[in-house]
Amino acid sequence: MSHTPEGILEQLKKRQFAPVYFLQGEEPYYIDLISDYIEAHALQEHEKGFNQVVVYGKDADVATVLLQAKRFPMMAERQVVIVKEAQSIPDIEKDDGIRQLETYLQNPLPSTILVFCYKHKSLDGRKSLAKTVGKHAVLLSTKKLYDNQIPTWVSGYIKEKGLQATPKAVLLLSEFIGSDLSRLANEIDKLLLNLKPGQTIDERVVQENVGISKEYNIFELQTALIAQDALKAHRIIHYFESNPKNNPLIPNLSLLFSFFSKLLVLHMAADKSEAAVRKSLGNRGFLAKEYMHALRVFPAQRTIDIIHFVRVADLQVKGIEGGNMTDAEILRELVFKIMHPVPRALAY
């Protein structure tokens, strides 16, 4: 049976350890979180020298891992064996390796905590090994969060730290950093070091500590497009051109695509009142007025055209279209198309 990260951590904090943990899936954050906790807390510091072993999958086969697991602890209640990058164990999905591992799982050594960190993939649920792991080990299966789940995760992480953040700050962190939970956690932890007691994480705090320019960022470009402020839009493009490392085009295109896609959904809705728009936007509800303004500036058909332009720009950045255009030239052309409607016969 698969467990949740929170449930596993709760048991670990109570020092209720299982003989085998199998941590798998697409999202490595929780795999690292749990394995790091076991590595740090399962043994006392003076016990770790003889009783804690870290094995890397590419350097060991199943037999080598199990040889370590079958050792008895020295002058300690238990030993810990952590297998990092376990997906790289050469025979973990071969018949002989499966047989050895299943035999151990059915009768593990109680004094060993064996942890498999099986990242970026999962065992084939149709095969016997996956079923044996699910029955005899503490199994964690992780999935990447969808983009619309990231703000909720960020808010929850900040609350766990006993702090508060404004909706705009949460959105900035979510959309500027993206769905890499490890990086998000690291950036939030760095923010906390610079906060005063009781201080709320707001837009200014994020901009000052995460490297987002207050005036020249993709969110300000989006605002300039809605306001039809060509001068401001081109100033931002020039800043991006001068600071390409901090302003890669592909993530920025993704954010523009997300914005206009949400706008198209709102166009299709029967109820376009502010209350309905706020409800539809969910954790972006505080941007309802901005989206309502955008609905007036960009009619439905024009929004569809703009989504097409953003897709074309993405292909240009990746070298599939556009020849030798630079990122700045691609973005400048895209902004022109967004701000200056062209006849549909010429747009495609």
Side-chain angles (χ1 to χ4, degrees), residues 38 42 91 109 157 273 330:
I38 292 172
D91 59 343
L109 192 65
Y157 187 87
S273 65
I330 292 168

Side-chain angles (χ1 to χ4, degrees), residues 203-204 207 211-217 220 232 239:
E203 181 181 356
R204 179 186 59 79
Q207 290 169 337
I212 306 174
S213 168
K214 185 175 181 179
E215 295 183 74
Y216 304 111
N217 59 64
E220 290 301 318
K232 182 177 180 180
Y239 178 83

Side-chain angles (χ1 to χ4, degrees), residues 213-225 229-243 247 252 331-332 335:
S213 168
K214 185 175 181 179
E215 295 183 74
Y216 304 111
N217 59 64
I218 189 60
F219 309 106
E220 290 301 318
L221 176 59
Q222 182 176 293
T223 300
L225 294 174
D229 188 339
L231 180 60
K232 182 177 180 180
H234 286 287
R235 283 176 178 166
I236 294 171
I237 294 171
H238 179 71
Y239 178 83
F240 286 180
E241 186 175 18
S242 303
N243 299 272
N247 298 279
N252 286 337
L331 182 57
R332 195 170 285 114
V335 166

Side-chain angles (χ1 to χ4, degrees), residues 294-320:
L295 285 170
R296 295 190 292 271
V297 174
F298 304 108
Q301 185 55 61
R302 188 173 169 197
T303 301
I304 293 171
D305 291 342
I306 290 170
I307 291 172
H308 168 73
F309 298 150
V310 175
R311 285 174 170 165
V312 170
D314 182 66
L315 293 175
Q316 290 173 330
V317 174
K318 295 171 180 174
I320 299 171

Side-chain angles (χ1 to χ4, degrees), residues 108-168:
L109 192 65
S111 58
T112 294
I113 301 173
L114 175 58
V115 184
F116 289 93
C117 302
Y118 197 85
K119 291 183 177 180
H120 309 298
K121 59 187 295 190
S122 297
L123 294 172
D124 188 337
R126 300 166 299 179
K127 295 186 177 180
S128 64
L129 179 58
K131 295 174 183 176
T132 305
V133 167
K135 184 176 180 180
H136 296 285
V138 172
L139 173 64
L140 173 71
S141 296
T142 68
K143 293 182 179 180
K144 283 283 188 184
L145 295 183
Y146 294 112
D147 289 344
N148 62 357
Q149 296 174 306
I150 299 301
T152 301
W153 187 91
V154 171
S155 296
Y157 187 87
I158 291 171
K159 286 180 182 177
E160 284 179 8
K161 302 292 183 179
L163 296 166
Q164 294 183 327
T166 65
K168 185 63 179 290

Side-chain angles (χ1 to χ4, degrees), residues 79-96:
Q79 71 153 345
V80 175
V81 178
I82 298 175
V83 188
K84 298 192 174 183
E85 307 297 336
Q87 74 280 0
S88 299
I89 297 174
D91 59 343
I92 195 167
E93 293 188 82
K94 294 181 179 178
D95 290 344
D96 189 49

